[in-house]
Amino acid sequence: VASNPNIIFIASASGGIFKSVNNAVTWKPVFDEEGTSLSIGDIAIAPSDPNIVWAGIGEPNSRQSSSWGDGVFKSVDGGETWKYMGLKETHHIGRIVINPMNPNIVFVAALGHLWGPNPERGLYRTKDGGKTWEKVIEINEDTGVVEVAMEDNGRVLYAGAYQRRRRAWGFVGGGPHSGLFRSLDGGDTWEKLTK
């Protein structure tokens, strides 16, 4: 937490979320009772309000042993309690970013199902704190978004799309639909950067 560096969150690909309030001297689990999976893909703290914490469930790794999740959760009390906010079929969350001036604007990079196609892959945005979602980048059923980064003003964003499919006999990672995208208007429109 930028305003209080004694408060630290750690999210694990297979062990849930832990919080320390004394600069890592002691830790307590804060997500064991909330979700259906302890596989965490990303955790984000609102720059403007450290009590607002988002967790994306489902690690973004592409191994045979990767665990999937059931969407995103939000805490408004610094991780003490959590509320389910949807995106159930995204399965694997690569990154969450929160607008630095408006914590109701949140982007979620979703890789989608590892073992098969699904239409829920892409980049999602909420403008109302998670009540509703819109998919602002949608490529196809095999290509999700693994990464999203936001400049300080909240208007310029970059997103990394990743085409992937795990099979029993191997892994197909990358492909012609992967790429880097940029938005200059807060995520309303996106262009693929090709040079």
Side-chain angles (χ1 to χ4, degrees):
V1 174
S3 60
N4 184 352
N6 288 324
I7 301 174
I8 304 167
F9 287 90
I10 289 183
S12 166
S14 60
I17 300 171
F18 292 83
K19 179 181 179 181
S20 174
V21 295
N22 55 17
N23 202 24
V25 174
T26 59
W27 295 90
K28 78 170 186 173
V30 293
F31 196 74
D32 285 5
E33 305 296 325
E34 311 298 329
T36 58
S37 172
L38 292 178
S39 176
I40 310 300
D42 194 34
I43 188 167
I45 302 166
S48 61
D49 184 350
N51 287 313
I52 299 175
V53 184
W54 284 81
I57 314 306
E59 61 180 301
N61 303 312
S62 299
R63 302 296 306 156
Q64 298 97 322
S65 58
S66 292
S67 298
W68 59 85
D70 57 357
V72 290
F73 287 75
K74 176 184 177 182
S75 174
V76 294
D77 56 11
E80 297 302 312
T81 61
W82 298 85
K83 181 179 179 184
Y84 179 65
M85 303 307 291
L87 304 181
K88 180 181 175 82
E89 291 300 318
T90 55
H91 269 213
H92 300 272
I93 304 296
R95 184 74 63 214
I96 299 172
V97 295
I98 304 169
N99 185 287
M101 293 165 281
N102 183 349
N104 287 319
I105 300 174
V106 179
F107 290 84
V108 175
L111 277 164
H113 294 195
L114 175 60
W115 291 89
N118 77 304
E120 287 80 10
R121 299 173 190 258
L123 182 67
Y124 291 85
R125 175 179 66 183
T126 181
K127 291 182 174 181
D128 55 16
K131 293 176 186 168
T132 60
W133 294 94
E134 61 180 319
K135 197 188 301 184
V136 293
I137 294 180
E138 180 175 13
I139 300 169
N140 61 36
E141 292 189 348
D142 290 318
T143 308
V145 174
V146 65
E147 180 68 72
V148 60
M150 178 184 293
E151 291 192 6
D152 289 340
N153 61 14
R155 304 249 340 131
V156 179
L157 296 104
Y158 295 89
Y162 186 40
Q163 185 176 342
R164 72 173 192 162
R165 176 79 64 86
R166 169 63 65 187
R167 292 185 170 91
W169 62 88
F171 175 67
V172 177
H177 299 289
S178 299
L180 185 63
F181 291 78
R182 178 179 64 187
S183 174
L184 300 174
D185 57 10
D188 290 334
T189 61
W190 294 81
E191 63 173 328
K192 188 173 184 179
L193 302 179
T194 58
K195 297 186 179 181

